[in-house]
Amino acid sequence: MKALVLSGGSGTRLRPFSHSMPKQLIPIANKPVLEHVLRNVRDLGVTEIGVIVGDRAEQIQAVIGDGSALGVEITYIPQEAPLGLAHCVELARPFLGDDDFVMYLGDNMLPEGVERIADEFTAARPAAQVVVHKVPDPRAFGVAELAADGRVERLVEKPQEPRSDLALIGVYFFTPAIHKAVAAIEPSARGELEITDAIQWLVANGDEVKASEYKGYWKDTGRIEDVLECNRKLLDDLKPATEGEVDAASTLIGTVVVEAGAKVIGSRIEGPVVIGAGSVVKDSHIGPHTSIGRDVRLTGTSIEYSIALDDATISHVRDLHSSVIGRSASVGPSDRSTRHHRLVVGDHTRVEVAA
């Protein structure tokens, strides 16, 4: 089996960060979303991975490289314009050949993995097997309507009156039968080749399409709120490790990771928290569910339930929470009386807030 990971989307809901970095590189627990995805694919025993990339290809390649650090072999496949998920399959046909493959959206987080579902697909080999998850409001998703034996009878995109609460969540397993379906469909009203149309074509032509329910934690990291919530979930599973320096005037409570080269000076850290390599935390309080990236400078600051990306500087600011501070951004005090609690600061931006 091979894998096709889609990493070309623009991430408009993650602005301002997606102006300067691909949404798939947003860090969750100090690792890019895309790295979490690639690790999940590797855990299926799949090492040949095609990655669809758009106009941010160079940034993605600079971070992920050839995949050898993760134990996989990556082939980058350019997509000049976002013309649909089925178009990605069409572009990847030379890479995929006649192999079965798993297609995985590069901004979806399924931390508990899909090994069980992959085993089901390998054992039964239906033409396609979709992964579904129960959601409270299916109207925002592609929805699978199933027969009693788990076969897919119909896929409906964003139905106004859903007949099922099982949403498609961005992981698909295919045999080569999907290629004839992709070749047979036409672009949708929005000008894209829709993977739901291709799968529906298989159903209409008598091919077996099955659905498997994923019951673990799932998050589409398309919004700032989703990123923070997913960061909280992954930090809850953190294992403590102190490889950096923590002085005698500092206190670590709960699960805290201090990476090699990081320094904690006169500060109180309440986990779960991860502090990246080379960062310096001085005279500060870091509360639960906070990720501090690499080479961050934190001085006289209190922050919780937040993410500070690499090379950020935060000085003498209190009560930051639910905040995301971009790469090389600078947050410092001002004379204003208004107290800011929640900040979203883009890369290379300077912001002054009440101390």
Side-chain angles (χ1 to χ4, degrees):
M1 186 186 292
K2 291 179 180 175
L4 183 63
V5 174
L6 310 189
S7 193
S10 59
T12 55
R13 293 178 297 163
L14 273 175
R15 291 174 178 165
F17 302 101
S18 56
H19 283 306
S20 55
M21 70 189 300
K23 63 178 179 176
Q24 297 84 5
L25 296 184
I26 292 285
I28 306 287
N30 275 14
K31 289 184 176 63
V33 171
L34 183 57
E35 181 176 334
H36 290 287
V37 168
L38 295 172
R39 288 176 182 273
N40 268 14
V41 170
R42 181 198 62 195
D43 290 345
L44 301 179
V46 177
T47 57
E48 293 181 74
I49 304 175
V51 177
I52 298 286
V53 289
D55 57 3
R56 304 289 180 83
E58 290 185 5
Q59 291 184 56
I60 290 173
Q61 291 181 43
V63 172
I64 302 299
D66 63 2
S68 56
L70 298 173
V72 299
E73 179 182 338
I74 290 179
T75 299
Y76 291 100
I77 303 168
Q79 184 186 37
E80 293 184 2
L83 297 176
L85 305 190
H87 180 248
C88 294
V89 174
E90 184 177 71
L91 287 175
R93 182 66 198 274
F95 165 77
L96 295 168
D98 291 324
D99 290 308
D100 295 350
F101 66 100
V102 56
M103 185 168 81
Y104 207 128
L105 302 192
D107 56 0
N108 273 226
M109 291 288 293
L110 293 82
E112 292 159 50
V114 291
E115 290 93 335
R116 173 187 60 81
I117 298 172
D119 290 343
E120 290 175 2
F121 170 76
T122 301
R125 288 197 75 236
Q129 187 157 337
V130 297
V131 180
V132 296
H133 186 77
K134 287 187 177 181
V135 297
D137 185 2
R139 292 175 299 175
F141 300 90
V143 173
E145 297 176 5
L146 310 183
D149 63 358
R151 286 174 179 256
V152 174
E153 293 185 329
R154 192 166 72 125
L155 297 176
V156 186
E157 190 66 32
K158 297 181 175 63
Q160 287 306 300
E161 297 182 4
R163 299 198 299 191
S164 164
D165 61 356
L166 295 173
L168 302 174
I169 62 169
V171 181
Y172 310 79
F173 293 87
F174 294 117
T175 67
I178 192 63
H179 298 300
K180 65 181 180 181
V182 169
I185 63 172
E186 298 292 334
S188 66
R190 60 179 183 170
E192 298 187 4
L193 286 176
E194 310 284 358
I195 199 65
T196 49
D197 289 346
I199 298 169
Q200 186 63 44
W201 187 93
L202 291 173
V203 172
N205 282 271
D207 289 286
E208 184 182 17
V209 177
K210 299 188 72 175
S212 293
E213 184 180 353
Y214 174 78
K215 296 184 179 180
Y217 179 87
W218 163 70
K219 186 66 71 175
D220 170 359
T221 56
R223 303 176 306 156
I224 294 296
E225 295 82 358
D226 299 324
V227 169
L228 287 167
E229 162 63 19
C230 195
N231 192 63
R232 179 200 64 76
K233 170 62 178 176
L234 266 65
L235 288 179
D236 278 340
D237 297 328
L238 205 63
K239 293 180 173 57
T242 303
E243 298 179 0
E245 300 177 26
V246 180
D247 74 357
S250 297
T251 303
L252 305 187
I253 301 171
T255 305
V256 178
V257 171
V258 182
E259 295 182 358
K263 296 181 180 180
V264 178
I265 304 164
S267 297
R268 179 182 176 88
I269 317 294
E270 299 179 54
V273 165
V274 57
I275 300 171
S279 290
V280 177
V281 178
K282 183 177 181 182
D283 300 330
S284 295
H285 171 230
I286 302 179
H289 300 117
T290 301
S291 294
I292 304 297
R294 295 185 297 272
D295 298 313
V296 172
R297 295 293 181 267
L298 208 67
T299 306
T301 291
S302 62
I303 183 172
E304 67 176 23
Y305 194 71
S306 295
I307 299 172
L309 277 66
D310 296 352
D311 298 298
T313 300
I314 309 173
S315 301
H316 304 291
V317 178
R318 296 291 176 181
D319 300 321
L320 282 177
H321 66 79
S322 305
S323 297
V324 181
I325 311 301
R327 296 173 300 178
S328 300
S330 176
V331 180
S334 77
D335 296 331
R336 291 177 296 175
S337 59
T338 303
R339 185 177 295 277
H340 289 249
H341 295 287
R342 182 182 185 274
L343 294 177
V344 177
V345 181
D347 292 351
H348 308 285
T349 301
R350 176 168 177 79
V351 174
E352 293 184 352
V353 299

